[in-house]
Amino acid sequence: MRNKLTKTMLVLAAFALISVLLSCGPKAIKQESVLDTPDNHFSQGMRELDRNNVAEALKEFERARALDPNYPEAFAGAGLAYAYQGDYEKALNSVDQALGKNDKSYEARVIKGRIFSMRRKEGDDWVKDAVNEFDRATKINPNNDKAYFYKAEAYKLGYQFGPAADAYSKVIAMKGEYAGKADAEYATMQKIQRAAPGTKIGMKIALIPEIDRADLAVLLLEELKLEEVYKKKKQPNFETDFKAPTDPTKMEQPQAQKLADATDISTHWAKNWISDIMRLGAMESFPDHKFYPDQKVTRANYAKTMEDILVQVTGDQTLRTKYFGSQSRFPDLRSDHFSYNACALMVDRGIMSADKISGAFNPEGKVSGADALLIIRDFQNALRMTF
């Protein structure tokens, strides 16, 4: 009897100790305002992340956690902030803490999927892992479009452009917070699908909002297969007595001339592609012997480059002066502009297009990766019609 009583007392003591230990955990601080809530601080933290203010976001998530130590979204938000800093292990640990407190937290599921998409660990089926999290989120709240949008983003980053387009389309149909963003991305997915990049590097460049000269060099070699095009299509030169006027003050487009190797590409990631494109004469260094690989490509630059390639492929030098002396067909481009002939030529050949409403060419507009790929496909189609 005494032994049983002793055991009972020990069990009660153990429970009492556990209760004491639990009561020693973090305690919630007192709200200073009716607006000083975990939800509000989580929302503000997410807005700070959208502005890339990671330090401020972490402060907001910490405040949310201080107000409620068991508030799961505070841990999930901090996890996303750690992912912004590149610490994916810490990020996933933090979001798993959130799910440990509430595995039906919509925000935590979405954030975990986003972290998988941001990490994109090689060797893992990260797209599947991310999509699984977004699907779990939609089961929790099927009327919120956030999970659908980031599911589309995961497919896009995984170069699964068809599923991405379908997912963006669903977001648009929901007419929620992310409908505007989804509409723009859906248009990009359609362009990429039409352009059908044939290489992994082409797929990567397709997602770039504004390509630079290095990107263009790579696309011309990998997607246009320029070296093969030159070997198969190059024709004898057609002589013309008319010589195009040159303006030495223009730096937008390099003049075709034999210059020394570019001095600014030795450590650039695209060095070999740039060397090859210069060897072929499709793109040249500038008179200061620099290639400027990171300089953004304008529509005028792109038109000039494609004009040079078309001339080399056909051997028809008259194409360079075809529209000289004519009145400009574009309201935003003078006929004496260095790129006017090239722009008019590209539009006539169906390789590039002017705005259907205003007729403007937008020569200073930047070129996205998706648009660059479409131009290459239209150029290939024009070559098939020419030969």
Side-chain angles (χ1 to χ4, degrees):
M1 184 69 178
R2 182 177 293 178
N3 288 340
K4 288 183 178 179
L5 184 60
T6 302
K7 288 182 180 178
T8 301
M9 292 176 66
L10 288 172
V11 170
L12 290 173
F15 276 117
L17 179 61
I18 291 171
S19 297
V20 170
L21 291 173
L22 289 175
S23 67
C24 293
K27 293 183 179 180
I29 63 173
K30 186 179 179 180
Q31 288 182 227
E32 296 182 10
S33 163
V34 292
L35 299 177
D36 186 21
T37 66
D39 283 344
N40 284 342
H41 286 289
F42 171 74
S43 297
Q44 183 60 32
M46 295 298 285
R47 284 191 285 271
E48 295 294 348
L49 282 182
D50 287 341
R51 294 191 283 261
N52 209 31
N53 295 332
V54 179
E56 291 302 314
L58 282 169
K59 289 179 184 178
E60 294 294 338
F61 299 136
E62 182 55 40
R63 178 70 180 179
R65 185 161 51 188
L67 289 164
D68 181 357
N70 293 312
Y71 182 67
E73 286 74 20
F75 293 87
L80 187 59
Y82 299 141
Y84 269 63
Q85 295 174 330
D87 192 341
Y88 298 112
E89 183 177 355
K90 190 174 181 180
L92 289 171
N93 286 339
S94 187
V95 79
D96 283 341
Q97 280 185 276
L99 291 169
K101 294 180 181 298
N102 180 6
D103 66 353
K104 295 191 182 302
S105 167
Y106 178 85
E107 293 290 351
R109 288 295 177 192
V110 172
I111 286 173
K112 189 169 185 179
R114 290 181 65 183
I115 292 171
F116 283 135
S117 296
M118 293 168 72
R119 183 177 65 169
R120 299 199 286 281
K121 189 175 181 181
E122 287 189 27
D124 283 1
D125 193 352
W126 66 264
V127 175
K128 181 179 179 181
D129 292 339
V131 167
N132 283 341
E133 294 299 329
F134 297 131
D135 286 343
R136 289 177 181 177
T138 57
K139 288 179 181 177
I140 296 168
N141 186 352
N143 297 318
N144 192 315
D145 63 346
K146 183 186 291 187
Y148 294 103
F149 176 79
Y150 284 109
K151 179 179 178 178
E153 292 280 280
Y155 281 131
K156 178 185 75 173
L157 294 171
Y159 311 119
Q160 298 180 30
F161 301 122
D166 292 340
Y168 283 127
S169 178
K170 185 173 182 62
V171 177
I172 295 168
M174 293 178 75
K175 299 180 180 179
E177 178 184 355
Y178 289 85
K181 291 181 181 179
D183 189 55
E185 293 293 344
Y186 179 70
T188 299
M189 292 306 101
Q190 287 187 309
K191 286 181 182 179
I192 295 174
Q193 285 181 286
R194 291 201 306 272
T199 64
K200 190 66 172 284
I201 198 164
M203 293 178 186
K204 290 181 178 180
I205 295 177
L207 298 178
I208 297 175
E210 297 179 354
I211 65 167
D212 56 32
R213 282 170 54 79
D215 298 326
L216 179 55
V218 173
L219 282 176
L220 293 175
L221 290 165
E222 298 292 338
E223 291 293 329
L224 183 57
K225 306 293 183 187
L226 188 59
E227 191 151 17
E228 296 174 23
V229 168
Y230 278 179
K231 287 178 181 178
K232 292 178 181 178
K233 301 292 187 180
K234 196 162 187 178
Q235 304 293 315
N237 266 354
F238 298 137
E239 292 297 330
T240 175
D241 294 331
F242 188 85
K243 300 296 182 183
T246 59
D247 184 349
T249 67
K250 295 291 185 184
M251 285 291 290
E252 293 93 338
Q253 188 74 20
Q255 299 298 315
Q257 53 186 305
K258 182 62 180 175
L259 297 171
D261 290 341
T263 60
D264 59 345
I265 64 170
S266 61
T267 60
H268 198 275
W269 67 270
K271 174 188 174 183
N272 291 331
W273 285 281
I274 294 170
S275 296
D276 283 345
I277 206 75
M278 290 178 65
R279 173 177 54 80
L280 292 173
M283 296 177 72
E284 301 283 347
S285 61
F286 287 84
D288 60 359
H289 294 194
K290 291 182 179 181
F291 188 82
Y292 295 101
D294 300 321
Q295 178 178 298
K296 299 301 182 185
V297 174
T298 66
R299 283 172 52 79
N301 296 149
Y302 205 138
K304 280 293 292 179
T305 297
M306 300 312 286
E307 177 192 62
D308 290 342
I309 293 172
L310 187 61
V311 168
Q312 290 199 55
V313 169
T314 62
D316 186 357
Q317 293 293 332
T318 64
L319 294 177
R320 295 189 189 279
T321 58
K322 184 177 176 66
Y323 302 92
F324 277 15
S326 63
Q327 185 176 357
S328 176
R329 64 180 65 187
F330 310 116
D332 59 342
L333 190 61
R334 289 170 45 148
S335 60
D336 59 352
H337 189 271
F338 83 99
S339 71
Y340 174 73
N341 188 85
C343 296
L345 179 63
M346 292 300 105
V347 170
D348 269 4
R349 297 294 175 103
I351 298 168
M352 297 177 72
S353 60
D355 185 85
K356 290 181 173 60
I357 303 300
S358 67
F361 188 82
N362 188 21
E364 298 306 313
K366 299 299 188 290
V367 181
S368 71
D371 285 329
L373 278 165
L374 270 180
I375 291 169
I376 284 174
R377 293 293 169 259
D378 289 336
F379 185 85
Q380 289 172 323
N381 292 334
L383 285 184
R384 294 188 189 101
M385 293 173 64
T386 302
F387 295 96

